[in-house]
Amino acid sequence: MSDSGTAHAVEVTINGERYERTVLARQLLVHLLRDTLGLRGTHIGCDTGNCGACTIICDGKLIKSCMMLAVQADGAEIETVEGLAADGELTTLQKAFNEHHGLQCGYCTPGILMSATYLLRHNPNPAEAEIRRAIRGNLCRCTGYVHIVESIRAAAASAAEEAAR
Amino acid sequence: MLLESVEYVRPESVDEALRALGAVDGAAVLAGGQSLLNVLKNRVASVEVLVDISRLPELGTIERGADGSLAVGACVTYDELDRSADVRQGHMVLADVAGHIEDQQIRNRGTIGGNCCLGDPTNNLPPLLIALGATMNIQSASGIRQVAAEEFFFAFFSTAVQQGEILRSITIPAIAPGAGVGYQSLAVAADSKAIVRASAYVRANGTIEDSRVVLSVVGPRPIRHTGMEGRLRGAAATAEAVAAASEAIGDDIEPASDAHGSADYRRRMARVVARRAVDEAIARGASR
Amino acid sequence: MSGTPVTETTLERVEQSEHLGRWSGKSIPRKEDRRLLQGQGTFTDDGGHIHMGYAQFVRSPYAHARILSVDTARAEALDGVYATLTGAEVKELTAPFFQIAPEPGGKIAEYCLAVDKVRYQGDAVAVVLADSRETARDAAELVEVEYEPLPVVVDSIAAAAPDAPILHDEVGSNVVWHGVYDYGDVEWALQEADHVVKIDRLHFHRFSSTPLECNAAVVNWDPGTGIVEIFSNNQMPMFASLVIGPALGIPSNSLLFRSQDIGGAFGIKIGSYPQITALALLSRKAGRAAKWTEYRTDHMQSAGQGNERTFRNIEVPVMSDGTILGFKVEAFDDAGAYLHYEPLGAVIWSQVVPGCYKLKHIQVDFTETVSNKCPTIPNRGYSRLQHLWMIERVIDIVAHELGFDPVALRKTNYVQPEDYPYRTPNGCVYDSGDLPRALDMALAAIDYPSWRQRQQELGTGSGKRIGIGIGTTLDSGTNNFGQARIINPDLPFSGNGEAAYVKLDLYGEVNVNLGTTPQGQSHETTAAQVVADILGMSPDAVSVSVGFDARHNTYVAFSGTYASQFAVTGLGAAMGAAEKLRAEIIKVAAYALGAEEEEIELNDGSAYVRGDEERAIPFIGIANLVYSNVAALAPEIADSVSLNCRHVYRPPFEIPDTETKTGNLTLTYASQTHACVLELDEDTGAVEILDYAVADDCGRVINPSIVTGQVHGATAHGIGAALWETFEYDEDGQLQQSSFYDYHAVTALDVPHIKTSHLESPSPFTPNGAKGMGEGGGAPLHAICSALQDALGEGAPVVAESHNHWERIYRLLHPESGALRGVEVRSR
């Protein structure tokens, strides 16, 4: 059993890069990402785990990083929005959002991209109802979701086309 | 949105967890954290030590017995319940309900144990577990004891689990041949907070032989409505008879009034969801 | 009976730029996206300062109480706490905020922290600065405040009563403004009418657009320069400067606002100036920058909520042929505990006095009060959507009560296409539009006849009902701030304007600065489109500075992003500056190429002689001549060009007549017509949206995809407000929805697919034919209430509330026997 304490050493791998830090037990994972490690693409929009702006993928699972303690992520492999585009080359999903105007203020966008990434990994050809269900945990106050759904659908179609080639 | 100072420990076995929980009065279980972290962030309650059981393998299994019963570890997540072939084979309603709790992110972390142990009256699984006739297996230093689901829930933060104990698993019996389970919520919005819920187990053969009708969000804890159950017993398994039986729900329940619904509305809606849950249970039973 | 306006406003058609067309009108993908898609946006919490502290406000749990004492000793003793600030200090250090209201309302003494009294749950009484967010949060809990609770008033009409608890002793009443708007002759109309429909009460509820990013600011009062640097997401920085400067007793040019990416604002982020004022004092006291990132709970309680308006004793004169002559109504607006931008809401609605209709005889007796609730702030649709909702309810209820077809009744009374420009009873001018066609388009999109048939086939007894609703609305844009004088004749405000700056940089790069604070409205992209058109180049080569920065010196008093105006004011300014730069480039090119100015064309970053493309000079060459090689340029040209072109777009407004309350109050009027189909569950009142369509007309469209996105967003907000989103206070003034757990912001499962169609009625009054749009006008509220009324059928109570959650719908479906319907008809 690890020692009980208010501070703990944690080791996390984020977008393929390994970090070792000491965190307070009370620190939320989202604050480790933003404040300690300077990965500010993941955002905070509420106090109750409802808005999804903090969504990331942790050990392959889509989660809200404000609803997990940093210390609970010890040993985890984390993917955030910063890890999507390699060397500034936007992914098929990101390009689809740009082509279909899937973002306005951009604050919900990182969380939405992670939710869409997770969806398309598990369901490469989702119907509209499945897309909407997949982003149920991500609030957007700008787009009314219509172009977001369209962007994800288009990304799925593009990915299918690329795979067929 | 920030927790008070707290200690954290991650035991490597259930026994270690029990020792940690028993050591300090202010120790609490942390599993998925999808309810508890909100409570702590908003400083509604405080905890001295968080005992993280979310990675204990012995709490994360789903086993289907030869008799069709399910043994579900307390740390099984909603998403795991949704996708489990074992659950879907004989307890589809459990997969359905778990698969519609809030959103994917919460389903990936939230656990069946947490859904039960925080005692939030609006939680999805407690009324279903009561309808299913589940048994809660509580472990302490002296061993494991059983508590029927319908005796497990007291109020917000208060269940049959005492200080120094832990909910280890939940045993769900097979749904008998000719029986079915229904679950109906009136929610604020899709996959959202419930205004009122009902879950029903009905065994029928043209006539209703046995039932459990459970209401929740009608008070501090989910309850079986024995009045409606009484009227159902021996009644025809028809929509009209079920509707008549639902009239038994009345001033005997005292739901709260809040922004989502007045007490009077909740009382009326309890009748509606109970009727619909029983209708659904009859339909599901007939198709098995 | 009111008189005719003293001054007749004339509006001339404006010459529109001949250059727009290659890029304007196209859905080019956005420049903003690259950084936002990679998580590289810079939102306010992403910014900071070396050695800064983190701020946390201490807020009152009581809705109304005397502050007996504030003790910060325990907080200050906590390790890591830098400083605290209380109301008592603030009272010594600052002047009360400037008030828009005339006396007695104008006597309100509001400071950036509560002094002597708290007046709403969430009213800030102190602020602490500490070395981390956690320490600040912990320290805030250690501030000990002793309160003496006072009686609470949470209803506007009750607040106006003589025995109500008074919020501001210096005012002596809770009524902060009252006026009667009287146009035509409504008494005559009521006598003349074949029918008078009397509606007891209509109530428009409190809600908010709740932007996903809360308020935030990093404020640094630099001791060396005396400059207060503010990096924030405030969306109206110049209004904030006008208010904060005098409060702090510093000149306006000591306040340097800057913003970069903003995560939505919708009017709510106009209201952060009190917190910024407190942070400035805290920064000066602590000798370090103060960073504040608002928590969602604080945001819900204190950032600002939309206007709540109660209409009562509504009388509507109607002729037998369906012509509606006008209406008479009493309106009570609830401003909350303090006046932040209020009581402008008491006049802003009059931009759309008759709504979409040719109503001539209108009387509105308007009272605005304070109450023990969160201060009102101009939430999306500000003050117009409340009034437009009321008018749409009136149209809808008149149709139901008198048996008119709802489509025909609207078309009978609409302003017709041939009527534009249409002067409304109070002198506003509706610029252009085609409402009948828009209605046809929206109804076609849902296949209206088919739904009517299904509704009939459904009949009764299935447990479900179908309701089909229509909502027409206007989105008035580009305000004449002179309307403030109707509220308070002593206010020296009028007109409007926005600034932009377009230049060639040292190597000929094109750069644009704007005076706006975009929060998702795609200013970088649309500004690049119009500038690219005017300079004959690709928008990819036009660089637009991200966000607002006072150091760019590109602002006027009204700068910011709010009130549905960017396409007119912001782009008007960008176009004006680009035209100036174009003229300068041509002048230099003509000299360099030995040609006449009329012969010069611009294309793809080069100036050339028409018909002789070899004779060309690239922009880098133009820049070289003006910047680093200026002796090679003829002196008279060098003296007259700078390649740094600033333009202020100024819409042609005059000062309104405060006696008659008339004038041209807004330049453009976009419209939206919504059609929706609902399915109601008779047993529960729960609703599902089966079909939804919008026909949008915002004049000439610069980027169709962006306009559609704005329509969707406004529609989602309206649907949310209609069915799910509300702020309610109990009788002790406790907010029932202070988190997203209780305030259900709509999700992707709640908002349906929105079918959107467009028509373009260009505005004759703007430089590009565009109209501002974005707020939307709240049409979902109108359409959903209309659909509910339709589902309820004959003899049902009126849908009198703008917010209808399941229980309310259930009660409308199953009214108590003998309950009043809320409407009465008196016929000749």
Side-chain angles (χ1 to χ4, degrees):
Chain A
M1 169 150 88
S2 67
D3 287 335
S4 178
T6 52
H8 294 267
V10 298
E11 183 205 298
V12 285
T13 304
I14 303 177
N15 303 324
E17 204 171 312
R18 201 160 148 277
Y19 301 87
E20 279 174 34
R21 294 290 187 278
T22 301
V23 301
L24 291 179
R26 65 160 158 177
Q27 189 178 21
L28 299 170
L29 177 57
V30 67
H31 286 129
L32 172 70
L33 296 173
R34 288 181 54 78
D35 295 342
T36 310
L37 299 176
L39 293 163
R40 300 195 193 278
T42 304
H43 297 144
I44 295 173
C46 76
D47 305 340
T48 48
N50 290 101
C51 80
C54 65
T55 300
I56 60 169
I57 295 174
C58 179
D59 286 335
K61 296 201 182 157
L62 192 73
I63 63 147
K64 292 172 177 174
S65 61
C66 78
M67 294 295 275
M68 189 163 162
L69 298 177
V71 65
Q72 288 184 290
D74 184 31
E77 300 232 356
I78 289 175
E79 298 167 70
T80 69
V81 65
E82 289 92 342
L84 293 178
D87 299 320
E89 173 70 30
L90 298 183
T91 62
T92 304
L93 180 66
Q94 288 167 316
K95 285 182 191 158
F97 270 74
N98 177 239
E99 277 153 34
H100 296 273
H101 190 38
L103 62 154
Q104 291 180 27
C105 81
Y107 201 73
C108 76
T109 305
I112 295 252
L113 288 173
M114 300 319 289
S115 293
T117 298
Y118 181 85
L119 167 71
L120 295 176
R121 263 182 207 168
H122 288 86
N123 184 354
N125 190 20
E128 176 170 337
E130 292 171 310
I131 294 174
R132 285 177 177 274
R133 196 151 164 263
I135 59 171
R136 156 69 177 70
N138 296 81
L139 290 182
C140 172
R141 301 263 61 188
C142 293
T143 66
Y145 304 105
V146 180
H147 284 159
I148 290 176
V149 170
E150 181 56 29
S151 299
I152 295 172
R153 191 210 53 76
S158 293
E161 254 177 65
E162 280 165 32
R165 261 188 247 120
Chain B
M1 161 69 181
L2 294 172
L3 283 74
E4 291 169 334
S5 190
V6 73
E7 281 183 39
Y8 170 93
V9 64
R10 192 187 314 128
E12 275 156 21
S13 70
V14 175
D15 288 333
E16 279 188 4
L18 287 169
R19 277 200 293 282
L21 288 167
V24 171
D25 250 1
V29 163
L30 173 65
Q34 302 304 282
S35 299
L36 182 60
L37 281 182
N38 270 346
V39 167
L40 297 179
K41 275 162 32 172
N42 290 283
R43 304 194 175 197
V44 171
S46 37
V47 155
E48 253 186 75
V49 181
L50 289 168
V51 181
D52 187 347
I53 60 167
S54 62
R55 301 195 199 188
L56 292 175
E58 59 266 51
L59 299 180
T61 58
I62 300 173
E63 274 156 34
R64 192 174 148 78
D67 60 352
S69 67
L70 281 179
V72 181
C75 287
V76 169
T77 66
Y78 310 143
D79 185 67
E80 284 164 351
L81 290 170
D82 183 22
R83 291 183 299 108
S84 159
D86 285 331
V87 171
R88 290 173 159 258
Q89 189 177 352
H91 296 84
M92 193 64 199
V93 64
L94 177 58
D96 280 343
V97 172
H100 283 275
I101 296 178
E102 295 291 332
D103 55 60
Q104 187 66 62
Q105 296 93 313
I106 286 175
R107 292 195 290 273
N108 282 345
R109 296 275 306 157
T111 64
I112 188 169
N115 201 267
C116 292
C117 290
L118 257 83
D120 183 335
T122 64
N123 278 354
N124 299 56
L125 298 177
L128 177 61
L129 293 170
I130 295 174
L132 286 167
T135 304
M136 318 298 273
N137 305 308
I138 301 173
Q139 185 170 353
S140 68
S142 34
I144 299 181
R145 64 189 180 92
Q146 271 80 32
V147 174
E150 69 186 81
E151 271 140 34
F152 182 83
F153 305 98
F154 302 159
F156 212 134
F157 279 129
S158 180
T159 66
V161 177
Q162 316 255 357
Q163 189 67 33
E165 292 185 317
I166 199 172
L167 176 67
R168 185 180 174 111
S169 65
I170 300 170
T171 309
I172 303 170
I175 301 175
V181 174
Y183 186 95
Q184 293 286 325
S185 294
L186 176 64
V188 169
D191 293 359
S192 292
K193 200 169 184 201
I195 298 169
V196 77
R197 296 195 201 280
S199 187
Y201 163 92
V202 177
R203 197 180 75 233
N205 187 4
T207 311
I208 294 170
E209 292 163 6
D210 192 19
S211 73
R212 288 189 281 271
V213 178
V214 188
L215 302 175
S216 74
V217 206
V218 293
R221 58 191 203 86
I223 54 160
R224 279 181 64 173
H225 202 278
T226 51
M228 183 169 174
E229 290 172 8
R231 290 199 194 184
L232 286 172
R233 197 169 302 116
T238 63
E240 295 73 33
V242 172
S246 73
E247 297 296 312
I249 298 170
D251 293 332
D252 58 315
I253 58 167
E254 290 172 358
S257 275
D258 64 19
H260 301 301
S262 65
D264 179 67
Y265 179 68
R266 282 197 159 91
R267 194 176 286 115
R268 293 171 188 242
M269 294 306 106
R271 272 182 227 129
V272 174
V273 292
R275 170 167 55 83
R276 291 178 177 180
V278 171
D279 286 343
E280 184 191 343
I282 291 170
R284 284 190 184 224
S287 65
R288 290 177 79 238
Chain C
M1 164 95 178
S2 70
T4 50
V6 173
T7 51
E8 272 283 308
T9 310
T10 53
L11 268 179
E12 284 158 18
R13 275 152 210 280
V14 166
E15 201 183 300
Q16 305 197 333
S17 172
E18 62 203 16
H19 295 123
L20 298 185
R22 189 162 142 211
W23 297 106
S24 304
K26 308 239 176 350
S27 292
I28 69 164
R30 300 194 326 161
K31 291 159 107 48
E32 291 88 338
D33 287 358
R34 174 157 280 277
R35 68 178 184 275
L36 295 172
L37 285 167
Q38 297 182 79
Q40 291 168 348
T42 300
F43 297 89
T44 304
D45 189 62
D46 301 335
H49 238 266
I50 299 172
H51 308 308
M52 72 185 175
Y54 294 83
Q56 176 86 18
F57 284 89
V58 179
R59 296 186 177 280
S60 165
Y62 293 103
H64 200 197
R66 284 203 196 289
I67 302 170
L68 298 176
S69 65
V70 180
D71 187 350
T72 57
R74 283 180 68 215
E76 286 176 356
L78 188 67
D79 207 25
V81 172
Y82 297 133
T84 65
L85 190 73
T86 65
E89 290 173 80
V90 153
K91 188 173 181 189
E92 296 305 307
L93 294 170
T94 62
F97 288 126
F98 156 78
Q99 292 294 326
I100 290 166
E103 298 209 352
K107 286 182 167 162
I108 287 179
E110 185 192 358
Y111 297 85
C112 60
L113 293 173
V115 171
D116 301 332
K117 275 176 88 172
V118 290
R119 296 175 177 87
Y120 71 102
Q121 182 201 29
D123 203 352
V125 299
V127 60
V128 304
L129 193 70
D131 62 0
S132 75
R133 299 180 203 273
E134 289 81 4
T135 310
R137 179 76 174 82
D138 293 343
E141 286 193 342
L142 296 176
V143 173
E144 288 164 335
V145 187
E146 232 187 294
Y147 296 100
E148 180 196 299
L150 295 168
V152 167
V153 60
V154 288
D155 173 79
S156 189
I157 296 177
D163 58 343
I166 301 294
L167 268 75
H168 299 274
D169 299 323
E170 58 272 23
V171 176
S173 157
N174 292 326
V175 176
V176 292
W177 196 82
H178 174 258
V180 180
Y181 294 81
D182 204 2
Y183 309 107
D185 189 344
V186 77
E187 299 302 336
W188 168 87
L190 289 166
Q191 289 301 312
E192 187 69 11
D194 294 323
H195 310 280
V196 174
V197 177
K198 298 182 71 158
I199 304 165
D200 293 340
R201 181 180 180 272
L202 295 173
H203 175 250
F204 192 97
H205 72 294
R206 270 180 177 245
F207 61 93
S208 159
S209 303
T210 62
L212 199 61
E213 181 206 26
C214 296
N215 283 311
V218 182
V219 182
N220 186 41
W221 196 319
D222 185 316
T225 59
I227 301 281
V228 183
E229 297 158 351
I230 301 157
F231 177 57
S232 79
N233 50 29
N234 184 290
Q235 71 183 104
M236 212 170 164
M238 293 300 110
F239 171 74
S241 298
L242 287 173
V243 179
I244 297 174
L248 292 176
I250 61 176
S252 71
N253 60 352
S254 289
L255 290 164
L256 284 182
F257 271 89
R258 184 173 71 86
S259 65
Q260 209 162 320
D261 290 299
I262 300 180
F266 314 111
I268 310 297
K269 288 175 173 157
I270 291 174
S272 58
Y273 64 84
Q275 292 94 327
I276 291 171
T277 307
L279 294 166
L281 293 172
L282 194 59
S283 167
R284 184 174 67 178
K285 185 175 181 187
R288 58 179 75 232
K291 177 173 182 172
W292 167 61
T293 306
E294 186 182 47
Y295 292 127
R296 178 59 61 184
T297 309
D298 289 345
H299 184 87
M300 302 303 233
Q301 284 187 349
S302 68
Q305 300 172 355
N307 295 60
E308 178 183 357
R309 196 166 296 166
T310 306
F311 302 96
R312 67 176 190 184
N313 300 329
I314 304 147
E315 295 180 76
V316 190
V318 186
M319 305 306 284
S320 293
D321 67 352
T323 307
I324 301 174
L325 301 180
F327 58 87
K328 180 178 176 181
V329 65
E330 288 167 40
F332 287 81
D333 203 285
D334 184 342
Y338 298 97
L339 304 181
H340 293 170
Y341 216 82
E342 291 307 304
L344 284 184
V347 68
I348 297 269
W349 66 270
S350 70
Q351 297 170 8
V352 290
V353 166
C356 302
Y357 307 96
K358 290 196 287 196
L359 311 177
K360 302 257 186 332
H361 307 282
I362 294 169
Q363 187 189 94
V364 178
D365 183 321
F366 199 107
T367 303
E368 184 147 1
T369 71
V370 290
S371 72
N372 294 118
K373 300 191 213 176
C374 179
T376 291
I377 206 67
N379 183 48
R380 191 172 200 168
Y382 183 38
S383 192
R384 290 101 81 223
L385 92 159
Q386 287 82 349
H387 185 74
L388 290 159
W389 173 80
M390 181 269 294
I391 291 182
E392 286 295 292
R393 291 311 306 126
V394 162
I395 303 296
D396 205 51
I397 291 166
V398 165
H400 276 274
E401 294 302 306
L402 299 179
F404 289 110
D405 174 78
V407 176
L409 186 67
R410 285 173 171 82
K411 286 188 174 180
T412 298
N413 289 285
Y414 273 158
V415 174
Q416 299 298 322
E418 58 271 17
D419 295 332
Y420 296 102
Y422 176 77
R423 188 179 304 279
T424 71
N426 69 330
C428 290
V429 181
Y430 291 173
D431 50 355
S432 61
D434 191 344
L435 296 170
R437 182 158 153 248
L439 179 53
D440 287 340
M441 287 168 70
L443 293 176
I446 62 163
D447 193 358
Y448 178 67
S450 180
W451 278 115
R452 278 288 177 217
Q453 192 180 339
R454 279 167 75 169
Q455 185 183 44
Q456 253 201 313
E457 285 164 4
L458 184 65
T460 54
S462 69
K464 304 270 190 209
R465 294 199 196 185
I466 288 175
I468 307 167
I470 298 167
T472 316
T473 204
L474 295 173
D475 193 352
S476 48
T478 306
N479 295 344
N480 177 356
F481 278 93
Q483 63 201 268
R485 297 182 185 219
I486 291 173
I487 295 299
N488 181 349
D490 294 336
L491 291 175
F493 296 137
S494 65
N496 200 340
E498 187 52 275
Y501 192 96
V502 181
K503 71 190 257 188
L504 286 194
D505 219 315
L506 301 176
Y507 283 135
E509 306 97 332
V510 175
N511 206 73
V512 180
N513 291 344
L514 301 168
T516 60
T517 54
Q519 325 106 23
Q521 297 93 336
S522 317
H523 292 183
E524 289 160 55
T525 303
T526 52
Q529 284 176 266
V530 300
V531 171
D533 268 346
I534 290 168
L535 297 180
M537 56 201 294
S538 161
D540 289 341
V542 175
S543 158
V544 182
S545 299
V546 178
F548 176 89
D549 193 331
R551 285 179 184 80
H552 290 164
N553 193 29
T554 309
Y555 60 83
V556 291
F558 306 111
S559 284
T561 300
Y562 56 96
S564 303
Q565 59 178 13
F566 178 73
V568 176
T569 60
L571 291 186
M575 287 167 59
E579 293 283 2
K580 284 176 176 167
L581 180 62
R582 178 188 170 90
E584 290 195 0
I585 292 170
I586 287 173
K587 194 178 214 177
V588 174
Y591 169 79
L593 299 173
E596 297 299 315
E597 288 187 21
E598 303 75 58
E599 295 181 273
I600 302 293
E601 297 268 2
L602 303 186
N603 188 47
D604 206 19
S606 234
Y608 64 95
V609 177
R610 190 181 311 111
D612 189 358
E613 280 156 36
E614 297 298 304
R615 281 166 74 198
I617 174 169
F619 285 1
I620 190 174
I622 306 279
N624 172 253
L625 283 171
V626 176
Y627 290 126
S628 20
N629 201 3
V630 66
L633 197 55
E636 62 274 12
I637 296 187
D639 285 343
S640 66
V641 305
S642 65
L643 300 182
N644 280 249
C645 299
R646 186 177 190 271
H647 184 71
V648 175
Y649 165 76
R650 185 182 57 79
F653 284 130
E654 286 159 21
I655 296 176
D657 182 326
T658 58
E659 284 297 312
T660 56
K661 300 188 180 67
T662 57
N664 191 13
L665 306 186
T666 358
L667 192 67
T668 67
Y669 289 83
S671 78
Q672 286 189 19
T673 302
H674 290 221
C676 76
V677 183
L678 305 180
E679 183 183 80
L680 280 66
D681 180 331
E682 283 181 336
D683 288 334
T684 62
V687 158
E688 200 190 315
I689 302 173
L690 299 181
D691 209 345
Y692 204 100
V694 179
D696 175 75
D697 185 353
C698 59
R700 182 189 194 151
V701 171
I702 305 298
N703 187 317
S705 181
I706 286 170
V707 162
T708 304
Q710 289 292 315
V711 171
H712 293 161
T715 301
H717 267 138
I719 289 173
L723 297 173
W724 285 290
E725 300 183 34
T726 177
F727 281 122
E728 288 162 345
Y729 287 81
D730 69 13
E731 67 212 5
D732 295 320
Q734 301 292 299
L735 179 60
Q736 304 299 295
Q737 293 90 358
S738 57
S739 74
F740 279 144
Y741 187 65
D742 290 309
Y743 184 95
H744 183 80
V746 283
T747 71
L749 291 182
D750 303 318
V751 183
H753 177 70
I754 302 164
K755 298 171 178 169
T756 318
S757 53
H758 297 281
L759 51 162
E760 286 189 29
S761 305
S763 176
F765 302 134
T766 64
N768 50 16
K771 306 182 189 202
M773 59 83 65
E775 288 175 274
L781 289 144
H782 320 334
I784 287 173
C785 285
S786 167
L788 290 172
Q789 195 75 72
D790 184 60
L792 291 170
E794 229 183 283
V798 298
V799 176
E801 294 282 339
S802 54
H803 178 73
N804 289 280
H805 61 310
W806 306 159
E807 179 170 1
R808 186 162 287 152
I809 296 170
Y810 176 84
R811 302 290 177 193
L812 288 166
L813 283 164
H814 308 281
E816 308 263 337
S817 70
L820 298 171
R821 294 177 56 233
V823 64
E824 196 182 279
V825 178
R826 199 184 68 222
S827 299
R828 225 195 253 284

